[in-house]
Amino acid sequence: MLDMLITPRQTTAKTNTSTDVAMFNNLVTLEGRPTNMAIWCPLSELANPPERQQSARYYLSHMGSAVKTRCVEAKPDVEIKKFCLMLPGFNGGPFDCFHLAEKLAQQGYWVLSVGCYINPNLKPSEDPDKVAFALADAYPEYNAMLRAFSLLTGVALSDERINRIRYVSFSAGIYPLIRAVCAGNCPNWQHDLMLMAPGLSATRGLSGTLRNAPITDIQLVHSEQDRHPTYGSPLAYLNMFDRNKTTLHLLQEGEHYDFIHLPRKTRHTEAQSQHEQTVKSECLAVLDALLQGEKP
């Protein structure tokens, strides 16, 4: 187990994103319901790049480096070979991990982030089976998200163009992939997973499903301090995956929701803000390591 367990040191990641990254955001209808969706991509690959260089604002207090655009149609000669599907946690929004999305787009990725369907009747619970049942309707279908991406960009995502994608998720954001595998409608390409504080122990019998899934590499980023009542201990996740493909990055700090960008609240102390920033920097450091050697 020791060769699969990495305890990161305090690493300062390179978080500066150049202004050659574009971001699109809109409400789209997926499976008959409004869904908040965002796309990041290299600015140079857009057919009609925005004329005004206006940085994107996420939530109320975080200013990103991406340029806002009203259209994400790709140039006719663009072939998307680097694609990342990014999913937030239960009732999460598409901007929860925008710092990671901008980093990926800077490296030549097209990133699709889809918000979880907000249903006021679906609330987290200490009953794992109840949570798992609620998650069955919390996200759009995997294929519906990919079709929406193709309609907006004009590029069909197929295994002829892409043989492997990145899949980045926080908490229960892994469930769209699990549902796709169980339903037999998962694309043929391989998946490189980066799962942050994954909420997987909420469903029984996942071991066989995940071990048989088209997964090439799994990076689990978790915290020793995460005591979310639904999800269990970090080391328990190693039993759900193929250990030969899995690396656990165990952070020394970080509660469950420190992995995402939440709106800064007035009751946050300076120590709490620094604590959250430390966790985000660690996640960026893991992503930086995964991207080393990739061509932009």
Side-chain angles (χ1 to χ4, degrees):
M1 180 181 297
L2 293 179
D3 61 340
M4 294 176 289
L5 177 62
I6 297 177
T7 303
R9 294 170 294 182
Q10 295 299 320
T11 306
T12 301
K14 298 178 182 179
T15 57
N16 292 330
T17 304
S18 61
T19 55
D20 61 351
V21 171
M23 187 278 295
F24 167 86
N25 170 238
N26 206 346
L27 281 175
V28 299
T29 300
L30 297 181
E31 300 176 326
R33 56 195 182 191
T35 303
N36 196 0
M37 192 169 75
I39 295 175
W40 289 261
C41 65
L43 183 63
S44 61
E45 296 186 4
L46 291 180
N48 298 295
E51 295 180 0
R52 296 182 180 179
Q53 301 293 303
Q54 184 178 8
S55 296
R57 182 179 292 275
Y58 307 98
Y59 291 120
L60 300 177
S61 59
H62 301 284
M63 181 69 75
S65 298
V67 177
K68 290 189 292 188
T69 179
R70 295 177 180 269
C71 177
V72 283
E73 182 181 356
K75 291 179 178 178
D77 59 344
V78 167
E79 290 190 9
I80 297 177
K81 296 181 179 179
K82 290 185 176 183
F83 177 67
C84 177
L85 188 57
M86 184 173 292
L87 282 301
F90 185 77
N91 279 355
F95 300 127
D96 284 353
C97 296
F98 76 84
H99 53 311
L100 302 179
E102 288 189 351
K103 168 65 70 174
L104 285 159
Q106 185 184 18
Q107 294 297 313
Y109 277 85
W110 284 66
V111 182
L112 170 63
S113 182
V114 181
C116 179
Y117 177 60
I118 299 176
N119 185 334
N121 295 321
L122 303 182
K123 299 178 180 179
S125 167
E126 295 186 7
D127 180 352
D129 291 330
K130 184 176 181 181
V131 172
F133 179 78
L135 287 171
D137 291 323
Y139 296 90
E141 287 285 351
Y142 200 95
N143 286 343
M145 293 184 282
L146 299 181
R147 285 195 300 270
F149 177 87
S150 294
L151 287 173
L152 288 167
T153 63
V155 179
L157 295 175
S158 67
D159 51 11
E160 295 179 356
R161 294 173 180 261
I162 301 174
N163 57 22
R164 189 169 64 179
I165 72 166
R166 290 204 179 277
Y167 189 108
V168 176
S169 68
F170 162 70
S171 190
I174 184 62
Y175 276 88
L177 175 58
I178 293 173
R179 290 170 56 203
V181 172
C182 292
N185 60 8
C186 186
N188 292 326
W189 53 66
Q190 296 292 309
H191 294 64
D192 288 351
L193 307 186
M194 179 178 172
L195 312 180
M196 298 173 292
L200 289 174
S201 59
T203 297
R204 300 172 183 175
L206 284 181
S207 298
T209 299
L210 292 169
R211 286 174 182 157
N212 296 327
I215 296 173
T216 303
D217 182 74
I218 305 162
Q219 305 291 326
L220 290 171
V221 187
H222 214 295
S223 170
E224 294 177 322
Q225 306 303 316
D226 194 338
R227 297 293 184 266
H228 196 285
T230 304
Y231 300 142
S233 67
L235 291 178
Y237 295 121
L238 290 177
N239 295 323
M240 296 187 178
F241 299 99
D242 183 337
R243 289 176 176 245
N244 293 326
K245 301 177 181 178
T246 306
T247 302
L248 174 61
H249 304 265
L250 194 57
L251 309 186
Q252 297 178 356
E253 301 183 51
E255 296 294 338
H256 195 68
Y257 291 102
D258 289 342
F259 288 84
I260 62 174
H261 275 285
L262 295 172
R264 180 160 299 181
K265 299 178 181 178
T266 55
R267 66 171 181 268
H268 271 31
T269 65
E270 187 62 32
Q272 286 173 316
S273 298
Q274 182 61 42
H275 177 77
E276 294 173 359
Q277 202 58 44
T278 298
V279 175
K280 295 177 180 68
S281 294
E282 292 283 13
C283 291
L284 270 171
V286 172
L287 184 60
D288 279 337
L290 296 178
L291 295 176
Q292 283 182 4
E294 287 192 355
K295 296 180 181 180

